[in-house]
């Protein structure tokens, strides 16, 4: 079987497997049903543009259509791949948000044990506003959230404005169409306020990938410090209660 016959045979098999008619495939390629029939019957060759369209239609590689190679992996969310946006690409991502970037214009990665959908992204984090929850250089796994009012108070989110990408903690607001965001870093107590119109997109942070490992002795020290802080806070409350009682007795 020559190459043209093999391609025609594979296209016919793919069409039947996906339960398409020749007319449906032809419309996808913007050609007539008769012209497409000649391709399947090996009387006409298939052009590069149609190979790419058929690859997308059947979710297979172009190499499979051309050579029957089943060992190549197609890069797409359906195969477990997530697009990765580095720090240097943040500005370009904001600028091109309304456009769909081609697969080759992004870096794509697979995360073991993680099954993404089309609205998942990986973002490299800049700044220390969410330390210790999220560290500079961490990579966060985000999912688009079209309904801002559905976000639970205290959730970590990625906010996309016209100027920047910001990782913050979401806070409910009593003001209609206005939202508050704060930081986890105790040294950065700034609270941001955005109206709905200022937010281009908001994404839920579903997880993170970090290259920082905390030594065991630091974890133990951290636990002791937290326990000490809780004890001090309790003593402050007790002292305040005693002072109030003394003030009443003084009257």
């Amino acid at each position: 079987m020559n190459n043209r016959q093999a391609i025609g045979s594979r296209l016919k098999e793919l069409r039947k497997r996906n339960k398409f008619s020749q007319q449906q495939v032809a419309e996808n390629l913007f050609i007539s049903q008769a012209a497409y029939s000649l391709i399947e019957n090996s009387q006409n060759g298939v052009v590069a543009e149609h190979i790419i369209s058929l690859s997308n239609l059947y979710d297979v590689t172009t190499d499979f259509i051309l050579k029957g190679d089943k060992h190549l992996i197609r890069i797409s969310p359906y195969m477990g791949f997530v697009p990765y946006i580095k720090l240097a690409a943040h500005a370009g991502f904001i600028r091109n948000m309304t456009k769909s970037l081609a697969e080759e214009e992004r870096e794509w990665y697979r995360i073991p044990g993680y099954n993404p959908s089309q609205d998942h992204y990986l973002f490299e984090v800049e700044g220390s506003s969410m330390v210790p929850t999220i560290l500079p250089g961490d990579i966060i796994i985000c999912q688009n959230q079209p309904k801002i009012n559905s976000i639970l108070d205290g959730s970590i989110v990625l906010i996309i404005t016209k100027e920047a990408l910001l990782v913050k903690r979401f806070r409910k607001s009593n003001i209609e169409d206005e939202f508050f965001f704060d930081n986890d870093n105790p040294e950065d107590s700034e609270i941001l306020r955005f109206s709905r119109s200022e937010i281009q997109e908001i994404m839920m942070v579903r997880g993170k990938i970090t290259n920082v490992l905390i030594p065991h002795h630091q974890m133990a020290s951290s636990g002791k410090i937290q326990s000490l802080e809780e004890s001090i806070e309790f003593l402050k409350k007790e002292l305040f209660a005693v002072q109030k009682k003394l003030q009443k007795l003084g009257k």
Side-chain angles (χ1 to χ4, degrees):
M1 183 183 291
N2 63 36
N3 194 41
R4 183 180 291 185
Q5 287 177 317
I7 291 173
S9 177
R10 276 192 291 275
L11 290 177
K12 187 174 183 178
E13 180 188 347
L14 284 168
R15 177 176 60 78
K16 288 187 173 182
R17 188 191 306 166
N18 287 273
K19 299 180 179 178
F20 289 145
S21 67
Q22 284 192 347
Q23 182 63 38
Q24 288 173 313
V25 179
E27 288 174 358
N28 184 273
L29 301 179
F30 301 103
I31 60 176
S32 68
Q33 184 270 331
Y36 177 73
S37 178
L38 292 174
I39 294 173
E40 274 196 8
N41 293 327
S42 310
Q43 295 179 49
N44 277 351
V46 55
V47 299
E49 181 183 351
H50 290 165
I51 292 172
I52 294 171
S53 296
L54 290 164
S55 158
N56 292 326
L57 177 65
Y58 296 128
D59 197 28
V60 296
T61 64
T62 55
D63 271 54
F64 175 75
I65 293 174
L66 291 171
K67 299 184 292 185
D69 193 337
K70 298 180 180 180
H71 301 292
L72 295 178
I73 299 174
R74 179 173 172 78
I75 295 177
S76 76
Y78 303 108
M79 298 300 293
F81 286 88
V82 187
Y84 172 44
I85 315 299
K86 292 182 176 180
L87 287 179
H90 282 192
F93 181 82
I94 296 170
R95 189 167 54 250
N96 295 296
M97 273 195 62
T98 56
K99 304 174 185 176
S100 58
L101 298 178
E103 291 175 1
E104 59 270 17
E105 293 177 318
R106 299 175 175 173
E107 290 189 25
W108 293 73
Y109 293 93
R110 295 177 75 171
I111 307 170
Y114 187 71
N115 186 26
S117 63
Q118 283 187 301
D119 56 357
H120 281 76
Y121 290 87
L122 299 173
F123 288 92
E124 186 177 1
V125 175
E126 183 177 25
S128 57
S129 64
M130 291 300 290
V131 172
T133 311
I134 298 173
L135 305 176
D138 282 355
I139 298 168
I140 52 175
I141 306 168
C142 301
Q143 183 177 22
N144 184 39
Q145 172 54 271
K147 298 179 181 178
I148 300 181
N149 290 327
S150 299
I151 301 175
L152 296 176
D153 184 61
S155 299
I156 301 177
V157 296
L158 175 77
I159 314 154
I160 304 175
T161 69
K162 291 181 180 179
E163 289 79 31
L165 301 177
L166 305 167
V167 183
K168 302 292 176 184
R169 199 170 285 278
F170 178 83
R171 296 301 178 192
K172 289 284 188 182
S173 168
N174 294 324
I175 305 172
E176 188 176 358
D177 289 336
E178 197 163 62
F179 306 95
F180 295 93
F181 304 89
D182 60 17
N183 304 318
D184 280 9
N185 191 336
E187 297 180 2
D188 187 352
S189 57
E190 179 186 16
I191 296 177
L192 298 180
R193 176 187 297 180
F194 290 112
S195 64
R196 188 184 294 271
S197 62
E198 291 176 300
I199 299 173
Q200 290 200 85
E201 198 165 315
I202 192 164
M203 298 187 183
M204 301 295 300
V205 176
R206 300 299 189 189
K208 73 171 184 176
I209 303 168
T210 185
N211 58 4
V212 177
L213 294 177
I214 302 174
H216 183 269
H217 69 275
Q218 287 189 16
M219 292 177 65
S221 300
S222 177
K224 291 176 182 178
I225 291 171
Q226 184 178 354
S227 177
L228 182 60
E229 288 175 344
E230 289 173 355
S231 298
I232 292 171
E233 189 63 30
F234 176 76
L235 288 173
K236 283 181 180 178
K237 291 178 181 179
E238 288 293 302
L239 182 59
F240 180 73
V242 171
Q243 287 176 336
K244 287 186 71 175
K245 288 179 182 179
L246 290 173
Q247 287 174 355
K248 288 181 180 179
L249 289 173
K251 292 179 181 178

